[in-house]
Structure formats: C-alpha cells, structure tokens
Amino acid sequence: MHEQIVRKLPDKDVTTGDSVYQTTDHVVEPSLLPQPSQLLPSFPVSDWSDAFSQYLIKRVRRNPRDLRAHVQRTLLYLSQRDSEAIYAALIDLFLILGNRGHEIRNNLLRQARSLLPEERYRFLKARMKTGLDTKERLPPNTFSSLSRGLSGTTNIVSRKGSDPNSSPVNPLDQAMERYRQNDWLTAMIILENALNDDPGDETVCRELLSLYKKHQARDAFYKTFTGIFGRRLALPELWRDTERFFLESVQ
C-alpha cells in the first residue's frame, strides 16, 4: 500500500548520506499512509515532514482527544528543534489533558526544556498539576491550535473582585448556574462554546442536546450539528436521536 501512494525516489535522488532537510517535488499524503508502528516516523525529505506536521494539526483540531496525535506533534517538533511549534504543541497537550497525564506532560516538557525560553518553561511547569484552561491568557506569540485564550499575559481571566488565584470556572458548572437562573439561552451558548473546544465531552453533549430538545431549539441544534461536522463528536447516536426528534416534530 505504501508503495502505491508514495513513489520511491531513485537512488540518484536520495542517498544514505542525504540530509532530512532536502526537498523534493514528490507529494506525500500522510492521511493515506499506513499507521506507523513508531510514534515518530522518519522521512527522507523535509517537505514530507512538513506535510505530516499539518496532518497532525488537522487531526488534533478534528479530535482534540487524539492523544497519539498530540504526542506525535510534540516529538516531531522536538526533532526539528522548533521552539515555537514545540510550545504550541505542549499548550494543546496541557489543554486537553487538564490535570491528567502527568507523566506524559512532564516527560515531554523535560525534553523541551533546553529549547524553550525560560518564561514559557516556567509557565507550563507551574501548571503541571492543574493543566490549562482554554480561556487562560497565554504568554505573547502563542500559536496554539485549541486555545481560545488571548495572547499577551499569563494572568488568568477573572471577574472583577474575584480571587485571581482561583481556578477558571468550569463551563458546565457555569451553564448549569445560568440555567438555574432561568437563563437557558446563555446556558446553551456556554455549552456550545465548550463543545467547540472539546467535541468529545460526553457530559457537555448530553446537557446541550437536552436543552435543545426541552426548549425546541431546532435551528440552534442544526447550526451546531452542521458546524461541527467532520469532528469526533461524543455520543453520536444521541445526536442522531435528537435529529430524528426534530425531524418528527415538523411532520
């Protein structure tokens, strides 16, 4: 299968002494390649490595819970010694794992220490226990694929008068509080934003779909369902059941 997708380069094009930083006109489509057994596959030319990098970014955006893709991205950038890309990949990993996966996060951060500016290393090290929140402000020039935080400061966004050292509000708790105040529309928007951050969150999906059905929010349901098409949604059968509910309600 591999030979059908990527034509092998003749010996005159690539030799054993060639650098991985060579380029070639041959095109590789990483999504069609067999799953490599090793976490970090090797490529004979840099163009293919760059294509693999873009492929991994797309995988992370489609399914933020794809831990293998997160680790592969970080290892790839470590091998390239690309400080900016390493930091962005680690930010995404910290965001999706939260306070879980301590050993993975600690191991990768340790490997990256010599390649990261001291401020960025300290920023991540300080959040080794807690992980990151998607709305947390990040240091300047942070190019994360998943964060919705503003770049420019390491301070956590907080309400006026609140404790700046407190943890960011959990979006599900925030939505439920709004709902208890009879503000179901704001609760729905909060859950939709949380789902956009992590479409694999079963609890958020269940609560959001319940709100759609209870308040007959047909248009909002279809806007979310079509807008998130192609990403790895939690509870796919429940989404289909909700779609059938709205289809049957107009008959």
Side-chain angles (χ1 to χ4, degrees), residues 30 34 38 88 107 212 215 221:
Q38 69 273 32
N107 181 36
Y212 284 149
H215 295 279
F221 164 77

Side-chain angles (χ1 to χ4, degrees), residues 33-68:
L33 294 175
Q35 180 78 297
S37 57
Q38 69 273 32
L39 276 174
L40 183 60
S42 58
F43 298 101
V45 289
S46 62
D47 286 353
W48 294 4
S49 181
D50 292 341
F52 187 62
S53 170
Q54 293 303 311
Y55 164 66
L56 292 175
I57 291 174
K58 291 176 182 177
R59 278 181 57 183
V60 165
R61 287 176 177 168
R62 179 178 181 271
N63 179 18
R65 295 179 176 235
D66 189 338
L67 183 57
R68 182 183 177 89

Side-chain angles (χ1 to χ4, degrees), residues 187-231:
M188 185 177 71
I189 293 172
I190 292 171
L191 292 174
E192 287 173 343
N193 288 336
L195 186 67
N196 187 61
D197 293 336
D198 182 8
D201 192 316
E202 292 188 3
T203 306
V204 168
C205 281
R206 185 175 288 107
E207 294 296 335
L208 180 58
L209 292 176
S210 176
L211 277 181
Y212 284 149
K213 292 173 68 174
K214 186 172 183 178
H215 295 279
Q216 293 291 318
R218 183 177 185 274
D219 291 343
F221 164 77
Y222 279 109
K223 181 179 179 181
T224 299
F225 198 22
T226 57
I228 212 163
F229 181 77
R231 300 182 71 188

Side-chain angles (χ1 to χ4, degrees), residues 100-247:
R100 297 164 297 173
H102 180 273
E103 291 300 323
I104 294 175
R105 291 185 291 117
N106 189 55
N107 181 36
L108 291 174
L109 182 59
R110 185 173 64 249
Q111 293 184 55
R113 179 167 190 174
S114 63
L115 300 172
L116 291 176
E118 187 63 23
E119 178 194 10
R120 293 183 170 184
Y121 173 78
R122 290 200 308 267
F123 177 80
L124 291 173
K125 188 66 175 179
R127 288 152 180 82
M128 186 59 66
K129 289 185 178 181
T130 61
L132 278 172
D133 181 85
T134 55
K135 296 179 179 62
E136 183 166 356
R137 289 182 180 266
L138 304 175
N141 303 318
T142 299
F143 304 103
S144 161
S145 295
L146 302 179
S147 174
R148 301 177 63 205
L150 298 177
S151 176
T153 176
T154 57
N155 294 328
I156 295 175
V157 179
S158 59
R159 295 179 182 176
K160 186 176 181 181
S162 63
D163 180 1
N165 296 318
S166 62
S167 299
V169 178
N170 181 290
L172 185 62
D173 294 339
Q174 191 177 23
M176 293 302 98
E177 178 61 28
R178 287 287 190 171
Y179 191 75
R180 284 190 289 269
Q181 297 171 5
N182 296 319
D183 187 1
W184 67 267
L185 183 58
T186 300
M188 185 177 71
I189 293 172
I190 292 171
L191 292 174
E192 287 173 343
N193 288 336
L195 186 67
N196 187 61
D197 293 336
D198 182 8
D201 192 316
E202 292 188 3
T203 306
V204 168
C205 281
R206 185 175 288 107
E207 294 296 335
L208 180 58
L209 292 176
S210 176
L211 277 181
Y212 284 149
K213 292 173 68 174
K214 186 172 183 178
H215 295 279
Q216 293 291 318
R218 183 177 185 274
D219 291 343
F221 164 77
Y222 279 109
K223 181 179 179 181
T224 299
F225 198 22
T226 57
I228 212 163
F229 181 77
R231 300 182 71 188
R232 188 70 62 84
L233 270 172
L235 307 175
E237 186 58 37
L238 188 57
W239 283 88
R240 288 190 290 270
D241 287 344
T242 306
E243 183 180 28
R244 284 192 290 268
F245 168 82
F246 284 117
L247 287 172

